[in-house]
Amino acid sequence: MLAVASTIVALLVISPMLWLVLRAVEVEPSRAYDLIVSSRTAWITINSIVLMALVTLFSIVLGVPLAVLTTRTDLPYPRVWTVVAALPLVIPSYIGAIAFVGMFGSGGEVDSLFGTTIPSIDGLPGAILIITLYTYPYVFLTTRAALLSMDSSIVDAARTLNAGPLEAFRRVTFPQIRPGIAAGALLAGLYAISDFGTPAFMGANVFTSRIYWEATEFGREYAALLALQLIAIVAIVLVIEAGIGRDEDATGGGGSGSTIQLGNWKWPAMGFVSLLGLVTLVVPVTIFTSWLFRSEGDPIPSYEFQWAFAYNSVRLALLAALVACLFALPVAYYSGRANSLLSRVLERATYVGFAVPGVVIGLALVFLGNRALPSLYRQGVALLVFAYVVRFLPQAVGTVRSSVLQVNDKTIEAARTLNASRFEAFRRVTLPLIMPGVIAGGVLVFLTTMKELPVTLMLRPIGMETLVSIIWNAQDALAYRYAAIPALLLILISGLSMLVLLLQEDSKLS
């Protein structure tokens, strides 16, 4: 029964990709070839790969030294600087993009005051900068975890053999933390190539923004082909990471060792982390807060903040969280209790939507809605909620499965010896034990759904506005003051997601 339910969930999750393939193969081969090899496609591909590669590189350049500073040096107040370095994850990158473009971009407030003497932040270079500032914490957190778990006594052994700090890091520490760096780099790279809002707001011609514009301007054949190319690049990145991130050289232990003495360098180090926090957190929040009090320009009544926008966002996110938890239960329970190839395959199948960019999932379900479910596509929220579930189901599956693995088999066997059926044992014993994981997964799905931009724009019913759609409309009309309240609310929501992650970590340590 669990295998059947898990199979149904897995098939539902991968079904949008099948619709996308079917739409792409309908294009005449000659036309498909012309579209794929066109110069425009070539530039889109180059821009996307450059964006992903440079964001990954710069995230490593920022994240790894910060992880070393907060774990292996005598930097004062390391916990404070750890929080400051991780907090940029609180702000969605497209929120940061709006703030910086509105203030420092072409035609922005600084540009209007000082003219072209100030370098503007927009285009592909601007997208690389902004996405890096809000994704380097992925590398920072995974590298920091690897540093904390490795046996630092082997570094001390290398130092006793007259190896300098850099030599010891290159020959001893780096092989140990390489899997952690690779994991964070993968997250940063996938985020960069799948990010829609930042490139769209900054005018960068990459896959995600071009797919959206082609889909909304009736170039859906071209959009489908671009989407398949984007999926192929994501698949290649996953294969490369699987090789780089092998952990044969990594060893556990977490033994304490000597720390690196910074001396007078501790002050520049603290200043650097403070500057990052100022740029990524204080500046955007200050900019949006200042926009709250702007009144220039003709008023746009439809953009004025209404609690209905927040209500719609909350309602959609609650529905997505509820459905995601219902879908996750059979998959996570089957995967956690049955150590079989089928259970692992079905669990991994649910991760497809998380690896595929949201704009691709939105496009696939646009095809599905137009062809098979036109009334559902135009009127209801069911297709939109389903898209959210496809996108964020792994968050629920992961937390629920972790809880299932912690349930003692003997507890379930004891219930069965009292003549309880499998369903009764699950309802009265297992479910209460895994409920914290279910709730945590639902909260994560809720919070990430609130921030999802491309899926919401492509599939929301006509006339329904949410926080992210109002932000999009206000930015498109250059009416930034109308984006202020929704953006600040989303920053608050993102902060709650960080709190949930920290509480989960604390519960695991206690």
Side-chain angles (χ1 to χ4, degrees):
M1 187 66 179
L2 281 175
V4 173
S6 300
T7 302
I8 293 173
V9 172
L11 290 175
L12 285 173
V13 169
I14 65 175
S15 62
M17 302 305 103
L18 299 178
W19 276 95
L20 186 63
V21 173
L22 290 174
R23 184 67 183 90
V25 298
E26 290 177 355
V27 183
E28 294 182 5
S30 58
R31 174 168 171 74
Y33 177 80
D34 291 339
L35 291 173
I36 291 174
V37 302
S38 67
S39 59
R40 182 170 62 161
T41 303
W43 276 113
I44 292 171
T45 305
I46 292 172
N47 288 342
S48 299
I49 293 176
V50 168
L51 174 68
M52 177 180 62
L54 291 183
V55 166
T56 303
L57 174 62
F58 293 149
S59 295
I60 293 173
V61 169
L62 284 175
V64 174
L66 286 171
V68 174
L69 276 175
T70 56
T71 58
R72 299 289 170 164
T73 72
D74 62 341
L75 186 72
Y77 312 110
R79 291 180 65 87
V80 173
W81 302 118
T82 297
V83 173
V84 172
L87 272 180
L89 282 179
V90 165
I91 299 183
S93 62
Y94 62 83
I95 297 293
I98 294 174
F100 281 95
V101 169
M103 184 63 66
F104 306 107
S106 299
E109 297 181 19
V110 173
D111 189 34
S112 63
L113 290 175
F114 299 99
T116 56
T117 57
I118 302 296
S120 61
I121 299 180
D122 50 19
L124 184 62
I128 293 171
L129 172 64
I130 296 301
I131 296 176
T132 298
L133 288 176
Y134 293 101
T135 57
Y136 82 82
Y138 289 124
V139 179
F140 166 71
L141 292 173
T142 56
T143 305
R144 185 175 186 276
L147 285 166
L148 290 174
S149 63
M150 71 171 282
D151 186 356
S152 58
S153 62
I154 60 177
V155 180
D156 295 338
R159 296 298 303 277
T160 60
L161 297 176
N162 296 323
L166 292 179
E167 183 70 10
F169 180 85
R170 183 181 67 85
R171 301 186 62 179
V172 179
T173 304
F174 178 75
Q176 296 288 316
I177 65 175
R178 186 182 63 188
I181 296 174
L186 174 67
L187 293 174
L190 290 179
Y191 186 98
I193 201 169
S194 64
D195 189 12
F196 163 73
T198 303
F201 291 149
M202 310 199 88
N205 192 23
V206 296
F207 275 115
T208 51
S209 57
R210 180 46 53 188
I211 288 170
Y212 177 80
W213 295 122
E214 292 292 338
T216 55
E217 294 171 4
F218 304 102
R220 290 178 179 172
E221 291 181 351
Y222 188 39
L225 294 172
L226 289 177
L228 291 181
Q229 289 177 267
L230 179 54
I231 292 174
I233 292 176
V234 170
I236 293 172
V237 171
L238 292 173
V239 171
I240 294 174
E241 189 277 337
I244 296 176
R246 296 183 189 276
D247 56 358
E248 288 91 344
D249 298 328
T251 58
S256 60
S258 61
T259 58
I260 300 173
Q261 303 299 313
L262 292 176
N264 291 332
W265 285 101
K266 67 178 61 175
W267 305 111
M270 287 191 291
F272 175 65
V273 183
S274 300
L275 180 62
L276 274 178
L278 177 69
V279 172
T280 57
L281 298 169
V282 177
V283 170
V285 171
T286 302
I287 290 173
F288 278 112
T289 303
S290 68
W291 285 344
L292 282 174
F293 305 100
R294 292 175 56 173
S295 59
E296 59 267 16
D298 296 330
I300 309 176
S302 60
Y303 291 176
E304 290 284 356
F305 178 76
Q306 303 174 29
W307 285 109
F309 305 153
Y311 170 77
N312 289 335
S313 294
V314 170
R315 180 167 69 97
L316 290 170
L318 283 174
L319 289 172
L322 176 62
V323 176
C325 288
L326 292 176
F327 278 22
L329 273 174
V331 176
Y333 190 79
Y334 183 50
S335 175
R337 307 304 299 178
N339 186 20
S340 65
L341 176 62
L342 178 61
S343 65
R344 291 193 295 270
V345 169
L346 293 177
E347 182 206 358
R348 289 301 171 184
T350 64
Y351 282 73
V352 170
F354 201 66
V356 174
V359 68
V360 175
I361 294 175
L363 177 66
L365 289 176
V366 166
F367 291 145
L368 173 62
N370 279 329
R371 292 290 187 87
L373 305 166
S375 60
L376 199 63
Y377 171 59
R378 296 190 184 97
Q379 299 176 10
V381 299
L383 202 61
L384 176 56
V385 171
F386 176 65
Y388 291 142
V389 173
V390 170
R391 186 89 171 92
F392 303 121
L393 180 61
Q395 294 177 329
V397 171
T399 55
V400 176
R401 184 176 183 274
S402 296
S403 297
V404 170
L405 291 173
Q406 294 173 13
V407 176
N408 195 323
D409 292 341
K410 294 181 179 179
T411 305
I412 302 175
E413 292 173 2
R416 296 299 306 278
T417 59
L418 298 175
N419 296 324
S421 64
R422 289 185 177 182
F423 178 77
E424 187 71 10
F426 173 80
R427 185 179 67 84
R428 301 185 64 178
V429 178
T430 306
L431 187 58
L433 292 175
I434 67 174
M435 187 54 67
V438 176
I439 294 173
V443 170
L444 289 176
V445 173
F446 172 85
L447 293 169
T448 49
T449 298
M450 290 280 289
K451 300 181 292 181
E452 175 63 20
L453 181 61
V455 167
T456 305
L457 294 178
M458 299 177 79
L459 293 171
R460 78 186 191 279
I462 297 173
M464 172 181 282
E465 299 293 352
T466 65
L467 294 176
V468 296
S469 68
I470 286 298
I471 290 173
W472 171 267
N473 293 336
Q475 189 278 337
D476 192 46
L478 302 181
Y480 295 115
R481 63 189 171 106
Y482 295 107
I485 295 179
L488 292 173
L489 282 175
L490 286 181
I491 292 173
L492 176 62
I493 290 166
S494 299
L496 293 176
S497 69
M498 177 69 74
L499 178 62
V500 170
L501 292 175
L502 293 176
L503 290 176
Q504 274 192 293
E505 183 177 302
D506 290 342
S507 65
K508 291 178 181 178
L509 293 176
S510 60

